[in-house]
Amino acid sequence: MLIIPAMKQLDAYLARIGYRGRLRPDLETLEALMRSHLHAVPFENLVVQLGRPIDIGPDSIFDKLVTRRRGGWCYEQNGLFGWALREIGFEVMRLSGGVMREQRGDAALGNHLCLMVRLDRSYLVDVGFGGSLSAPIVFEEAEHAHAPFRLRLFETGDGYWRFEETGDGAPFSFDVAARPADEALLHRTCTFLQTDPASPFVQNLVVQQRSPDGRHATLRGRVLKELSEGGADKRLIETPEELVGVLRSRFGLDLPEAASLWPAIAARHETVFAAGAQS
């Protein structure tokens, strides 16, 4: 729990996401809170790119995402959202998942944090996977249209559920078991992902956010992609000044020091595309 008085913290969080609706532990409130969070708080790894440590303790998360109005990745976003839901009266369980476990095996477990919220049924809730999931979905096998994404949730047959998103490319997924998270594993994996040279978050800048109009933006290195039901529009960022401007205008991140990342971003772009891969 947070050390500062919880009600004051909750009010500040609700102001951060622009939520002015009712506060009841029901599905309507959960859906509205999730929408507001996704539209206000981007997924981003700028702290990792800048070589600064990430502390996923609750007070540090609150300071970064609420007080300093930054974004974050799954450990931060779902950590903050889960705390807020509990303060409102929801029954919340933290779940440790594995992004692309279908390819990487159990070594992937712990590289994702998501939530289970229990109401009339159990719901998968996730504000930290880049914004493809726009509303809670029941833990049952089904397909969902969360434009501009197509989503599936299904059992894998080995005790896990697989969440799969498809936009304009190959499906992207994570596996999760409906049991309490292994918190020690989450902390270890969070440390690895922000420090190891093999981590994709160390290797490349990633910022993502869903818009109220249903569009979804991804900045990956120099490539800015806007995905809508009509398709994907892509363009290259050309200068460090443009990078800082896009972060501010599209993602609400006022971070002039991001210009210092430009040499590494440009060099990686040349290396990746020279090898014929995707950024």
Side-chain angles (χ1 to χ4, degrees):
M1 299 296 289
L2 296 169
I3 297 173
I4 303 172
M7 185 53 68
K8 184 176 180 180
Q9 292 277 3
L10 182 59
D11 288 345
Y13 167 73
L14 295 174
R16 167 71 173 97
I17 66 172
Y19 183 79
R20 299 178 180 84
R22 67 180 191 175
L23 295 176
R24 298 177 185 173
D26 59 21
L27 182 58
E28 181 181 350
T29 301
L30 177 60
E31 290 173 339
L33 286 166
M34 188 170 173
R35 267 193 314 273
S36 295
H37 184 110
L38 288 168
H39 297 159
V41 187
F43 181 99
E44 52 110 334
N45 69 333
L46 282 155
V47 166
V48 176
Q49 287 287 294
L50 289 165
R52 300 169 186 167
I54 290 178
D55 181 350
I56 59 172
D59 289 316
S60 294
I61 293 173
F62 187 93
D63 176 65
K64 182 187 173 194
L65 273 63
V66 178
T67 305
R68 293 190 282 127
R69 304 184 68 83
R70 290 287 305 281
W73 55 6
C74 63
Y75 305 106
E76 300 167 298
Q77 300 247 26
N78 285 317
L80 178 66
F81 196 58
W83 164 81
L85 293 178
R86 288 191 191 93
E87 291 299 316
I88 294 166
F90 288 93
E91 183 182 351
V92 182
M93 181 187 295
R94 288 161 57 96
L95 308 176
S96 50
V99 176
M100 298 305 289
R101 175 175 173 261
E102 60 180 312
Q103 294 181 3
R104 302 168 184 166
D106 286 351
L109 293 174
N111 67 12
H112 187 58
L113 168 67
C114 56
L115 307 171
M116 174 188 284
V117 176
R118 292 195 178 99
L119 292 167
D120 58 321
R121 292 177 286 179
S122 295
Y123 290 84
L124 175 65
V125 173
D126 195 338
V127 295
F129 199 57
S132 57
L133 182 68
S134 63
I137 58 175
V138 178
F139 264 96
E140 62 182 30
E141 295 201 356
E143 297 185 4
H144 305 267
H146 289 204
F149 293 94
R150 300 182 306 280
L151 311 177
R152 292 177 64 207
L153 186 65
F154 58 95
E155 292 185 89
T156 61
D158 61 354
Y160 287 84
W161 290 83
R162 179 163 297 155
F163 172 86
E164 183 179 84
E165 67 175 47
T166 304
D168 68 331
F172 191 55
S173 69
F174 67 81
D175 291 4
V176 63
R179 57 177 178 263
D182 182 336
E183 297 291 345
L185 177 61
L186 289 175
H187 278 265
R188 289 197 305 272
T189 310
C190 179
T191 298
F192 167 83
L193 289 173
Q194 62 182 296
T195 57
D196 195 282
S199 165
F201 295 108
V202 172
Q203 294 176 354
N204 205 17
L205 169 69
V206 182
V207 189
Q208 297 177 299
Q209 191 168 25
R210 175 180 283 273
S211 312
D213 63 4
R215 295 176 67 85
H216 183 273
T218 297
L219 176 63
R220 193 176 299 276
R222 287 184 60 196
V223 181
L224 177 64
K225 179 175 72 174
E226 291 274 2
L227 182 64
S228 69
E229 288 190 272
D233 295 321
K234 297 182 182 181
R235 70 178 175 92
L236 284 182
I237 305 299
E238 300 292 350
T239 66
E241 293 77 18
E242 186 182 2
L243 172 66
V244 171
V246 166
L247 291 172
R248 183 183 296 114
S249 63
R250 180 59 185 84
F251 300 101
L253 297 169
D254 188 9
L255 201 69
E257 58 264 46
S260 68
L261 301 174
W262 183 252
I265 289 172
R268 175 171 170 76
H269 182 87
E270 293 303 316
T271 299
V272 168
F273 280 90
Q278 300 213 352
S279 175

